[in-house]
Every structure is written in C-alpha cells, then in structure tokens.
Amino acid sequence: MEEDQSPGLGLVAETPGLKHGNGVSNSSEDPGSAGDGISSLEKPLLKRSNTLTSSHLAMVGAKVSHIESLDYEIIENDLFKHDWRSRSNVEVLQYIFLKWSLAFLVGLLTGVIASLINLAIENISGLKMLHMVHLVREKRYWAGFFYFSGFNFVLTFIAAVLCVVFAPTAAGPGIPEIKAYLNGVDTPNMFGAPQLIVKIIGSICAVSSGLDLGKEGPLVHIGACLANLLSQGGSGRFRLRWRWLRYFNNDRDRRDLITCGASSGVCAAFRSPVGGVLFALEEVATWWRSALLWRTFFSTATVVVVLRGFIEVCRGGRCGLFGEGGLIIFDVSDVTVRYRLGDLLLVTLVGVIGGVLGALYNHVLHMVLRLYNLINDKGRMAKLALALAVCVFTSAGLYVLPFAVPCTPCDPAFGAACPATGRSGNFKQFNCPAGQYNDLATLLHATNVDATRNIFSTGTPGEFRLDSLLIFFAIYCVLGLFTFGIAVPSGLFLPIILMGAAYGRIVALVLQSTVAASIDHGLYAVLGAAALMSGSMRMTVSLCVIFLELTNNLLLLPMTMFVLLIAKTVGDAFNPSIYEIILDLKGLPFLEPKPEPWMKDLTVGELAAAKPRTISLQVVEKVSTVLEVLQNTGHNGFPVVDRPRPGLSELHGLVLRSHLVAVLRKRWFLAEKRRTEEWEARERFSSVELADKNCKIDDLELTPEELEMYVDLHPFTNTTPYTVVETMSVAKAVVLFRSVALRHMLIMPKYQGPEISPLVGILTRQDLRAHNILGAFPHLAKKSKTH
C-alpha cells in the first residue's frame, strides 16, 4: 500500500492536469525525489515495506512501512444516499441483527479459545514441573536441569519459528497495533488467519516454556483477529461470500467489532467483563458511543459465561493437573479488610514507589527494544537465536536460584497443605526434606498465573522470606526487560503484576519490622501490583475495576483507587506509558489525545503554506487527467472543484482514490463533457463495488480514444467533507481530527470571492504529527522543548 499522504498543502493547482512544472510536487510519495528547496515537512520519515513492521524500533532510517489511514468517515455521495434511502425495513433489521450476532460470536469464540489456552498451558507446564521435581528429589540435578532447559528450549523454538516464518506481526502483545487501528491507522497483516493461529499456538508454547511473559496481551489480539475474520467472513480464498456480510464491508463497522474483540480478550484474560469494557474505553478505543458500549458489554458478558462454564466443568480436577486451569487468579471475598487512617500514608508510599519503578521500567525497556532492533534487523536467524538465548538464560535462572535459599519448616497451621508434592500449591517441597518447603521454588516453578495466586495469598505473613522475595523481584525485573521484544507472542500484564506483587510483599515485610501495619501481606501484594501496572501502563479506571473483579472484595476499592491515582501521577512526571513508547518506536502515526501546547500558535493555513500545491479535479474531468493523477501520486483523496460559470469556483467535495479506480476499471466514460443523471451511475455501480479498496492500476490499459473521453465525478464525490477555516489553530484541528476519526480535513479560505480559490489545502494525520510540523517550523522546536 502507498503511504496515506495528503494531496499536498497549499494553493489549488489552477490547471486540471498533473503538471510537474506548476509547483505540484510529488516528493511526498518517493523518498528519493525530495530535492533542494523542499521543506523537511514534505520529506518522508519512513521507508517503504509491504507489510507492518514487527520491529519495536521504527525511527528515521529504519526499515518500516508506509501505512495508510482508515476511512471511518461516512462518504455521503449520491450512490451512498440512494443506497440508504432504498434499504427496506427487513434489510435494516438484518444489519442490526448481524451486528449483535457477530458481537455474540466474538465473545463466545474468545471465551472458548481462552479457556483452551489456559488448560493447555497449565497441563503442559504441570507435566514439565512434575518430572523436573521428580528428578531433583532423586538428586539427579544435572538431569533435571537438562530436562527442564530442553523442554523449555523446544517450546520456545516452536513459538519463535511460527512467528519468524509464518506471521512476524504475531510477535509481541498486539495491543499497540490495536490502539493504532482503532485510532484510524491501517495495520496490514495484523488481524488475519495466520496471525490468529500463530498467536494461539505461540502463546501456549511461549508461556509454557517458562518465559517471563503473559497470555493477556495475546488474548486481546486473538479477540481482535476473531472480530476481523468474522466481519469479513474469513480471509483469502476460504472467505465466506455471504450476502449479509456486505453490511460490514467498511472500516466503521469493522472498527466497532474489533473493539468488541479487544474487550473480550481482556475479559477472558482476567475474568473481568466490566474491566474489559473499560479497558477498551480507556486504553485502546479512540472513538466511542453508547451503542458501542452496549455491544462490547454484551461480548464480555458472553465471555464470562463461557469461562464460568469451563470453571464448573473443570472443578474437582477433571481438566488435568491444575484443576481449574488458572482461570481464577485471586479471590479474597471472604477476607475482612480493615485499615486505619495511618495506613493511608503507607499506601501512599506504595503508590509513589510503584510510579517511580514503573517509569524506570519503561525507560530501560525502551533502551532494550532499541538494542533488540539492531539484532533483529540481521534476519530471521538472528531473531530465532535471540529468542532461544533468552530461553536458555531464563531456564538456567529459574532452575538454579531456588537452590540458593534455605528450606523453611512448615507451620503446623498450614496442615496437610505444606509441603505440596506432585500438584499445584503454595508450599513447593522441591529440594527440601519432608516437612519443609522452598518458598522461592513456590514462585519460580509455577506458571505465571499460579505464581500470582501464591504471592497474592492472604493470611500467610510468614510464608515468603525477604531474601527470596528480593531474588524473585530482581530476576523477574531482568527477565521481564529482556524477554519482551523477542519473536514470540508475549504480554506485559502478568510479568508486571508479578513484579508489583513481589514489591508489595517486600514493602509489607519491611513495614512489619519497623511500624505496626494492620493490612494483610497479600493485600499489600495486590496494591503493589496495581501501583506498578499503573506506573508503567498509566491505566486507572479499567485497572481498578479489573482488580476489583479479581479480588471480589469491595472493601479494597478505596485503597486501590488511591494507589492507582498516585502511581499514574508519579509515572506521568517521568515518561509516557509503555504502549505509547512502543507506538512511537514502531513509527505508527498515532494521534495523541492532547495536542502539543505550541500547536496553538500555528494555524492550519500556515501549515498549508508549507506544503506543495493541492492536486484537485474538476467535477467533469478528462480520463487522461484522472489516470495521470493516479499514476503520479499515492494520495487517497482528491478535492473536486466545480466551475458553474466563468470566474467562479466552488468546492464540490472530495473523491476517494478507490472510487476513481473503480470508475476507470468499469470504463464508465462519456463521449462529451456533461453532467450525468442520477440513474446513469446507479445502473453501473453498487455500494458493494465501491466498498472494494482495490487501488491498483498497474494492469489497467486504456486506448487513446478512451483517454480523450470524460468522467463525471459528482455521483462519487463526498459532498459533505469536514472543512475548517484557515485561521483555525493546529491544536484545535488535532482534537477535531481525533474526535471524529478523520482521514481528510479540507481547509477553506476565510474570505470568499469570485477571484479567490475555494480551497486552501487539505490535512491528513501525517501532516498533524508533531515531528513533521517541527521540521518545517524550526522556531516552534524551541517552544516544544520549553513545554
């Protein structure tokens, strides 16, 4: 795909054709054509590629893609208006029914897949741990090490090969790309069937291999892939050609369904239906409305019903080694939470330290990802070698470290639960004699979900030693930094939760020896996890509800809200959230919710003057001119200007590139220059044909006679594009662009008259990115630094 660029900003080209001598520059499409005298605003920052980059670094000079935007705006041309007027009540009901049916199917399939992934991970990890512990108890330490490392090596190899060879975009969590897509950025090869299959199998293998990563981010991506495939009837040659699916052959409805999929993924990961809806609202969705709220809630409600069904089926160990398959992380509904006013000071300390640690984690991870980019750029073998090297390091650390801590005698109050042999539990015997347990092995030799359940356990203030928690916190910090970014499906939620929970337990142990703290150690672990997640991801409302639904205890709500607000405030003082950092590294043209303060000092008219002249078309245009414009530019939309009488011009609207290509392919040409009647276009074109985004014209061959004919563009022109006055500030334009999910914004002159052009220029999201603007206005760079 060509990069989504505006047709230049500046004055409208007076001549109808594309003449390279009239000031119309083509440099914005070709990185090699930027000559002397062209401002840096016109120069592309990114090189071309045929797909979305899987790299976490996409800065100037890196090999990444030019990515188009999505058409979320309704194109109100004559054909669209007729299509809506002619729809019967039955067709309207079909459309509404299909939207709710697809929302239900997204929730149903996401819940089923998430449950199967949970069960697969728990059972594969369980078999691995049982045999490894058996070898350790027989004092066959080297055999246990090689078995443990080899098992993890094979699983990591499978996950990495799938990502490197079959679906590179399936690596990582996928949440930044979903954020970009819902922001209006087309992310190619991100939501297809290969990505879905690789994400499912890769998540099972990667998490089961003991790598410090979670399945929560991949579950969000899986939900989005399911939503996209259902809305399109599949992909490739196996795509279902169902007539009803024509209603979803547009970016707007696909966006809404992918939002439902992302919400369902969060719900499946944390068994949190309301938290899933709020996660989509707070973290990933840019554009929201009440109807979308209802459908996302319906999807998450379906997910939680499916999860509850699996829990009931698996109750009593009927689903394998670990009973309920890790579907329940933490339940303290029967715990009475009591705290005094003085405890709020301690909770404040937890929030402040969590915010600092989260910001530090983001900073170091940023540097690690830049380093990994240099390695991954060397090819597939380098990516595979990096993933396997991290796996070997992880396996060695997880196996050896428990031997460094002494065994702890079981407290008689623990009863038969200590030590746990041959099953999941809080007290792993590992290398200890009967009646004793290894607390570090309890955390390290378990899945992330089981380790979280152990470290969150309440009523166990003396279960974990301080040195064991410090070792666990340190190793998970190191592994978390060096694991994220390798070529396997990975999530950040569980690693950060584990680090935060260990940090909370450490704080509780320190406070226990210095001041009288009445809060349970397990609850401090919950608060520490919430603080570190908020400090890194900068989530508040959705994270609060997720933890509330996980703990099933409303008494935790005040403290959780308090610590989340403090951690986010502290983290924001240092750097952006981790997902914003990844978006920036990937080079995705994401529009932030808040414009830069210096943008208030610049008008859209001034921004337009820094760009080449706009390429516009007439309402009735020559075929040769239309073909020349399409061949020599990569623009997605072109202003259409009408000249009703000599000396007077008016803006008729905006026509999309795909619609122009459809006209040329159908050869809907006129022998004379005239306006057509409404019925003439409706006889040749349907809404389904115009929804096709095929913009390739390389194989289009037109005869000399056809090139001299004319095309009437008025049936295809969007006559209600968003327009702004040239005196509007760029800051206000950015807010409007993001709020209504625009792809194009036309700039009108402040004064109208017969001799004045009806159009000053056109804006796209690329033009409104801060670093693009600063290249053309260096004096604003000083203001940006001061802010």
Side-chain angles (χ1 to χ4, degrees):
M1 298 291 288
E2 296 286 349
E3 180 191 11
D4 175 43
Q5 294 280 354
S6 69
L9 295 179
L11 300 176
V12 180
E14 296 298 329
T15 54
L18 180 67
K19 298 184 171 106
H20 296 289
N22 66 355
V24 179
S25 173
N26 211 21
S27 63
S28 61
E29 279 73 46
D30 186 359
S33 65
D36 296 333
I38 299 177
S39 68
S40 60
L41 183 62
E42 303 166 27
K43 298 179 182 179
L45 294 179
L46 308 175
K47 296 182 181 179
R48 294 178 187 230
S49 177
N50 293 325
T51 183
L52 183 67
T53 176
S54 59
S55 168
H56 289 285
L57 179 62
M59 305 303 286
V60 179
K63 182 182 178 182
V64 297
S65 57
H66 274 212
I67 301 173
E68 288 213 14
S69 300
L70 296 166
D71 292 304
Y72 288 156
E73 182 184 357
I74 296 177
I75 307 301
E76 291 187 343
N77 53 32
D78 291 347
L79 293 170
F80 170 83
K81 294 175 183 176
H82 171 75
D83 182 56
W84 274 99
R85 286 195 302 263
S86 61
R87 285 191 181 182
S88 63
N89 292 334
V90 174
E91 289 178 317
V92 173
L93 289 175
Q94 287 177 351
Y95 172 64
I96 296 173
F97 174 76
L98 188 60
K99 285 198 294 187
W100 286 94
S101 299
L102 290 179
F104 169 76
L105 287 176
V106 167
L108 177 67
L109 294 177
T110 304
V112 171
I113 291 175
S115 300
L116 295 178
I117 289 176
N118 272 309
L119 296 176
I121 290 172
E122 295 290 332
N123 283 279
I124 293 174
S125 300
L127 289 171
K128 176 185 69 177
M129 295 294 182
L130 284 176
H131 193 59
M132 182 266 292
V133 170
H134 178 71
L135 293 173
V136 170
R137 292 181 64 186
E138 293 180 349
K139 300 188 183 301
R140 299 167 59 187
Y141 300 122
W142 283 109
F145 173 74
F146 286 118
Y147 168 79
F148 183 70
S149 301
F151 203 105
N152 292 340
F153 189 90
V154 171
L155 290 173
T156 304
F157 180 81
I158 295 173
V161 166
L162 287 174
C163 286
V164 170
V165 177
F166 298 101
T169 52
I175 294 179
E177 291 82 358
I178 295 173
K179 280 177 63 99
Y181 185 91
L182 298 180
N183 187 259
V185 181
D186 188 13
T187 50
N189 300 327
M190 196 67 204
F191 305 114
Q195 286 72 30
L196 174 63
I197 296 171
V198 170
K199 207 77 174 184
I200 294 173
I201 301 175
S203 296
I204 294 173
C205 294
V207 178
S208 301
S209 68
L211 292 172
D212 186 18
L213 45 83
K215 58 185 177 297
E216 293 69 30
L219 278 176
V220 178
H221 190 189
I222 288 171
C225 289
L226 287 171
N228 179 69
L229 293 172
L230 286 172
S231 66
Q232 303 305 299
S235 63
R237 57 181 179 178
F238 302 107
R239 184 175 175 181
L240 179 64
R241 304 292 179 179
W242 191 26
R243 186 172 177 270
W244 282 22
L245 289 175
R246 73 185 188 278
Y247 299 132
F248 283 81
N249 197 13
N250 62 84
D251 293 333
R252 289 171 61 88
D253 287 313
R254 195 179 307 126
R255 170 194 60 186
D256 290 352
L257 202 57
I258 287 177
T259 304
C260 294
S263 302
S264 300
V266 175
C267 175
F270 295 105
R271 204 192 62 179
S272 174
V274 179
V277 174
L278 293 177
F279 175 83
L281 173 60
E282 179 183 13
E283 190 64 22
V284 296
T286 299
W287 194 76
W288 198 262
R289 65 186 191 280
S290 58
L292 181 58
L293 176 68
W294 278 103
R295 281 198 296 278
T296 54
F297 185 69
F298 179 57
S299 294
T300 56
T302 305
V303 173
V304 81
V305 170
V306 174
L307 293 180
R308 173 54 63 182
F310 268 87
I311 290 173
E312 294 301 325
V313 170
C314 294
R315 196 175 297 278
R318 283 178 289 181
C319 292
L321 294 171
F322 287 174
E324 297 170 358
L327 294 174
I328 298 178
I329 295 180
F330 184 44
D331 190 350
V332 293
S333 56
D334 56 343
V335 176
T336 302
V337 181
R338 294 188 177 91
Y339 48 90
R340 302 185 299 268
L341 182 62
D343 292 329
L344 291 179
L345 296 177
L346 305 180
V347 172
T348 302
L349 179 65
V350 172
V352 171
I353 298 177
V356 173
L357 290 177
L360 179 62
Y361 183 84
N362 291 359
H363 177 71
V364 179
L365 184 60
H366 185 183
M367 294 189 294
V368 172
L369 292 178
R370 294 177 70 94
L371 172 64
Y372 277 9
N373 179 75
L374 301 177
I375 300 174
N376 292 332
D377 275 349
K378 298 184 182 298
R380 291 180 174 180
M381 294 305 297
K383 291 182 180 180
L384 184 60
L386 177 61
L388 296 177
V390 172
C391 170
V392 171
F393 176 74
T394 301
S395 299
L398 296 183
Y399 184 83
V400 173
L401 285 175
F403 290 99
V405 299
C407 296
T408 303
C410 291
D411 191 321
F414 298 150
C418 182
T421 57
R423 58 186 175 86
S424 174
N426 271 39
F427 309 97
K428 296 289 181 66
Q429 186 175 2
F430 192 54
N431 62 326
C432 297
Q436 298 185 23
Y437 70 97
N438 190 313
D439 59 343
L440 187 55
T442 299
L443 299 175
L444 293 180
H445 292 168
T447 62
N448 285 346
V449 172
D450 210 43
T452 307
R453 188 186 294 110
N454 294 339
I455 202 169
F456 276 179
S457 58
T458 59
T460 53
E463 176 184 353
F464 300 103
R465 300 161 50 93
L466 180 59
D467 55 348
S468 298
L469 289 172
L470 288 172
I471 293 174
F472 178 79
F473 178 74
I475 188 64
Y476 260 68
C477 283
V478 174
L479 293 179
L481 290 170
F482 286 96
T483 304
F484 187 80
I486 63 175
V488 296
S490 58
L492 280 169
F493 281 96
L494 250 299
I496 293 179
I497 286 178
L498 280 172
M499 285 186 287
Y503 145 68
R505 280 261 181 182
I506 293 171
V507 171
L509 284 173
V510 172
L511 292 177
Q512 186 182 35
S513 60
T514 55
V515 297
S518 60
I519 302 178
D520 187 90
H521 287 209
L523 303 184
Y524 263 109
V526 175
L527 296 178
L532 194 59
M533 283 194 71
S534 182
S536 176
M537 299 182 177
R538 311 298 154 77
M539 296 160 53
T540 52
V541 180
S542 58
L543 196 59
C544 181
V545 174
I546 287 173
F547 273 93
L548 182 65
E549 291 180 299
L550 282 178
T551 58
N552 198 22
N553 197 325
L554 278 172
L555 296 175
L556 280 175
L557 181 61
M559 285 192 300
T560 306
M561 294 173 64
F562 192 56
V563 77
L564 287 173
L565 288 172
I566 293 174
K568 182 184 185 304
T569 304
V570 173
D572 284 337
F574 293 97
N575 50 32
S577 72
I578 186 62
Y579 291 133
E580 291 177 16
I581 290 174
I582 295 174
L583 281 169
D584 183 62
L585 290 177
K586 283 181 171 286
L588 296 171
F590 184 83
L591 285 183
E592 299 293 342
K594 290 180 62 178
E596 298 290 341
W598 51 264
M599 290 183 177
K600 298 177 182 177
D601 301 327
L602 185 68
T603 66
V604 293
E606 294 171 330
L607 184 59
K611 294 286 289 184
R613 293 184 179 181
T614 300
I615 301 170
S616 64
L617 300 171
Q618 297 187 37
V619 174
V620 181
E621 190 60 89
K622 214 169 186 179
V623 174
S624 59
T625 302
V626 174
L627 182 62
E628 188 179 3
V629 166
L630 295 176
Q631 288 176 336
N632 291 278
T633 69
H635 307 324
N636 176 70
F638 301 90
V640 178
V641 177
D642 192 13
R643 293 179 173 83
R645 58 179 182 270
L648 180 63
S649 298
E650 65 180 22
L651 179 65
H652 185 67
L654 185 83
V655 63
L656 297 182
R657 180 186 190 89
S658 58
H659 292 177
L660 292 176
V661 173
V663 171
L664 294 184
R665 287 189 175 278
K666 276 237 173 178
R667 287 173 165 76
W668 193 64
F669 304 146
L670 304 173
E672 56 185 15
K673 189 175 183 179
R674 66 177 180 87
R675 294 279 290 267
T676 58
E677 301 293 335
E678 279 191 31
W679 59 268
E680 293 184 73
R682 293 202 301 266
E683 280 188 344
R684 296 291 301 276
F685 295 93
S686 66
S687 58
V688 176
E689 292 173 326
L690 293 181
D692 186 9
K693 287 192 172 184
N694 182 15
C695 297
K696 296 181 180 179
I697 57 171
D698 299 336
D699 58 344
L700 184 62
E701 295 182 1
L702 299 177
T703 64
E705 292 78 13
E706 290 174 327
L707 292 175
E708 294 301 317
M709 300 176 75
Y710 294 90
V711 175
D712 181 16
L713 300 180
H714 94 268
F716 313 95
T717 302
N718 178 16
T719 56
T720 59
Y722 281 86
T723 58
V724 298
V725 182
E726 60 182 337
T727 54
M728 173 184 281
S729 69
V730 173
K732 193 172 182 179
V734 169
V735 173
L736 180 61
F737 216 95
R738 178 184 165 99
S739 300
V740 293
L742 294 182
R743 185 172 187 175
H744 307 99
M745 179 187 289
L746 303 182
I747 306 172
M748 308 291 292
K750 184 176 181 181
Y751 301 100
Q752 305 288 336
E755 303 300 327
I756 298 177
S757 172
L759 181 69
V760 174
I762 185 171
L763 289 177
T764 68
R765 68 171 52 244
Q766 292 283 5
D767 303 319
L768 295 176
R769 299 193 70 194
H771 58 267
N772 284 358
I773 299 175
L774 292 176
F777 299 93
H779 67 281
L780 294 176
K782 297 180 180 179
K783 291 187 178 182
S784 67
K785 292 179 180 179
T786 59
H787 288 292

